[in-house]
Amino acid sequence: GVGRIESVVRSLQGSLRMNNTELHKQGLLLFAEILTRQPEEIKLFTSSAMCRDAGRALQEAVSSPVLEVAAEAVKAISAFLRKDHQSVPPVQYRELRALLEAMLSRCADFSQTPLNRRPLGHASNRDSEKAILRRGKFLLSTLEGFRNACRLAVEFQSEPSAQENPFTAPSAEKEDTLEAFSEFLLSACDSLCIPMVMRHSEQATHPNLMEVFLSILHSLFVIVPHMKEKFSKKLASSSFIRLTLELKARFCGSLSHSALNQVCSSFLYYMTLNLLSAPEKTGPPSQEELSAVSAFLQHGLPQISSRSPESLAFLSDRQYVEGTARQRQYCILLLFYLAYIYEDRFVSEAELFVAVQSFLLSLQDQGERPPLVIFRASIYLLAICQDKDGALDEV
């Protein structure tokens, strides 16, 4: 075991010094293979120094100007970011951070190189489609690596040995901790992952890329709990409610992409609860109210995969509304309400006004009392829509 990984890392370091792209790729492939196949119960790295050297070799490889080499390095980094590979105390958080920074900046460089736009002719079109596809693949690999880093941070929360770092010099203490690493993950996601994904999705939308991306956002609520309300507000203000609902509508109807639907639903679930718990002027809802909201969100969110016009029609339904449909209406109403609060207005005021009114009348007809949060949200939306649209018919 020990000697073998040591010699693999040494030969990888050696090959990177040579001017031979094929050799670089082969060395990385082999390393990734070993990292992936190693059984979890047998530690591959028995010393912290060995782990650090491996990380540094990968950092050098991922910064390679040759795209194929960088791409193999990203896959190897993903395999390297596994708890059993990283848990030789003391965990090298600063090294991990440097490795992720190198990976993200390589991806950012690649996603910003201009697509070769040749003058007219079909070839140039096909070339740019291919280039967009290649970017998408590289971005997906990078996000998978970043997701593994997030998973590590979550797993290390329950590992006492991963939190205290008895061997670091006092001066380095602040940076070399799980807490600092967690904050780094949040800021790297905010400044690099989100902009890269948003830019890419203007050209193409891959359901599996979005699934990895949203699972990263969702995990950050757990990784940096004291920032979850602030982060949720930032996401809501950047149209993430609309974005997630659009993904559901586009890919998750008719039971397809159930993994994406699951991730979208739990992302919206936590984001909604975070936004409702954020202390606003009114003060947060009571624990009792939050558990009522939590219950209908859990049932209703996975069922929602309609576009906004259908959602509005569903909200306006004056037929008898049974229990599960009602929960779905609550979810839709709450999402429209939060989107409106954060200036993400993707349905017209006049239509929303009519839908909310019908919804309230239907509750009245059926003698139902909705959770207080829903009643508040309805009144708020009616007031906002009335305000925005003075020309609404006096009803």
Side-chain angles (χ1 to χ4, degrees):
V2 185
R4 187 181 65 139
I5 192 61
E6 203 150 338
S7 61
V8 170
V9 173
R10 296 277 167 268
S11 78
L12 178 62
Q13 288 169 323
S15 78
L16 289 171
R17 289 191 201 102
M18 295 178 197
N19 197 4
N20 181 336
T21 304
E22 204 39 51
L23 201 61
H24 298 174
K25 275 164 46 183
Q26 291 311 318
L28 289 162
L29 272 167
L30 172 67
F31 191 32
E33 190 73 7
I34 292 170
L35 289 165
T36 305
R37 291 193 166 189
Q38 179 72 8
E40 288 187 19
E41 54 286 357
I42 305 168
K43 279 218 163 107
L44 189 58
F45 297 102
T46 45
S47 84
S48 202
M50 199 65 248
C51 191
R52 185 195 59 219
D53 290 348
R56 287 182 181 173
L58 288 173
Q59 189 181 331
E60 187 183 339
V62 81
S63 308
S64 164
V66 181
L67 186 68
E68 290 82 53
V69 173
E72 288 307 334
V74 172
K75 289 179 193 148
I77 290 170
S78 261
F80 180 61
L81 294 169
R82 214 172 75 179
K83 185 179 165 195
D84 53 305
H85 296 330
Q86 297 300 334
S87 49
V88 186
V91 179
Q92 307 270 324
Y93 290 113
R94 233 181 338 191
E95 297 286 337
L96 285 176
R97 171 180 178 156
L99 180 58
L100 289 167
E101 282 174 330
M103 176 181 79
L104 290 169
S105 79
R106 183 65 182 89
C107 187
D109 288 349
F110 179 43
S111 69
Q112 279 160 349
T113 39
L115 296 168
N116 304 338
R117 293 226 181 273
R118 286 213 294 269
L120 302 165
H122 297 289
S124 67
N125 241 350
R126 219 178 34 245
D127 287 348
S128 75
E129 270 166 34
K130 270 194 189 144
I132 290 170
L133 216 62
R134 266 209 311 274
R135 271 178 198 191
K137 272 177 78 169
F138 197 91
L139 179 57
L140 174 59
S141 276
T142 300
L143 290 172
E144 284 170 340
F146 196 81
R147 177 178 61 183
N148 288 356
C150 290
R151 191 176 294 150
L152 265 184
V154 172
E155 290 174 336
F156 281 152
Q157 282 183 348
S158 52
E159 287 273 305
S161 67
Q163 289 167 34
E164 286 315 306
N165 216 336
F167 305 102
T168 42
S171 63
E173 250 164 36
K174 282 288 161 278
E175 268 173 82
D176 227 355
T177 60
L178 176 58
E179 194 184 353
F181 182 63
S182 301
E183 306 241 343
F184 156 72
L185 290 172
L186 178 64
S187 76
C189 176
D190 188 35
S191 59
L192 288 162
C193 298
I194 294 178
M196 286 195 290
V197 171
M198 298 323 261
R199 259 204 312 276
H200 183 73
S201 59
E202 287 164 15
Q203 298 170 322
T205 310
H206 306 289
N208 49 349
L209 188 146
M210 296 311 283
E211 183 197 320
V212 175
F213 176 55
L214 287 175
S215 69
I216 289 171
L217 298 180
H218 172 195
S219 70
L220 285 164
F221 295 147
V222 179
I223 293 170
V224 197
H226 65 280
M227 292 291 284
K228 65 184 180 189
E229 277 125 5
K230 195 173 174 186
F231 187 43
S232 297
K233 286 180 181 179
K234 186 159 185 183
L235 291 169
S237 308
S238 313
S239 301
F240 269 78
I241 294 175
R242 175 197 316 213
L243 175 109
T244 313
L245 287 173
E246 280 172 0
L247 280 173
K248 276 169 137 305
R250 189 166 159 196
F251 296 108
C252 305
S254 74
L255 299 178
S256 56
H257 294 292
S258 59
L260 177 64
N261 188 36
Q262 184 57 54
V263 169
C264 286
S265 302
S266 55
F267 169 66
L268 283 172
Y269 171 81
Y270 286 103
M271 182 160 131
T272 300
L273 289 177
N274 293 340
L275 292 170
L276 287 175
S277 316
E280 291 306 332
K281 300 171 196 66
T282 53
S286 66
Q287 222 23 68
E288 199 180 346
E289 274 182 83
L290 280 177
S291 46
V293 172
S294 160
F296 72 68
L297 287 173
Q298 247 163 350
H299 294 293
L301 284 171
Q303 310 302 321
I304 294 172
S305 60
S306 53
R307 299 197 171 277
S308 302
E310 289 110 70
S311 294
L312 282 172
F314 177 66
L315 204 52
S316 316
D317 192 3
R318 292 300 305 280
Q319 307 290 312
Y320 180 80
V321 181
E322 46 78 46
T324 55
R326 185 65 90 204
Q327 290 188 318
R328 214 154 83 223
Q329 285 184 329
Y330 289 168
C331 289
I332 289 169
L333 189 103
L334 198 56
L335 291 170
F336 282 160
Y337 162 68
L338 290 170
Y340 259 67
I341 286 184
Y342 292 97
E343 304 289 330
D344 182 14
R345 310 202 161 160
F346 49 90
V347 285
S348 91
E349 271 90 8
E351 288 172 16
L352 187 54
F353 187 86
V354 174
V356 173
Q357 224 175 14
S358 304
F359 164 76
L360 289 174
L361 289 170
S362 154
L363 285 171
Q364 198 180 336
D365 294 347
Q366 293 180 203
E368 291 175 48
R369 300 187 58 164
L372 196 54
V373 174
I374 292 297
F375 193 62
R376 271 203 213 115
S378 307
I379 301 301
Y380 173 89
L381 286 172
L382 289 178
I384 284 278
C385 294
Q386 184 100 52
D387 208 29
K388 279 276 174 300
D389 205 47
L392 280 172
D393 308 337
E394 289 304 311
V395 189

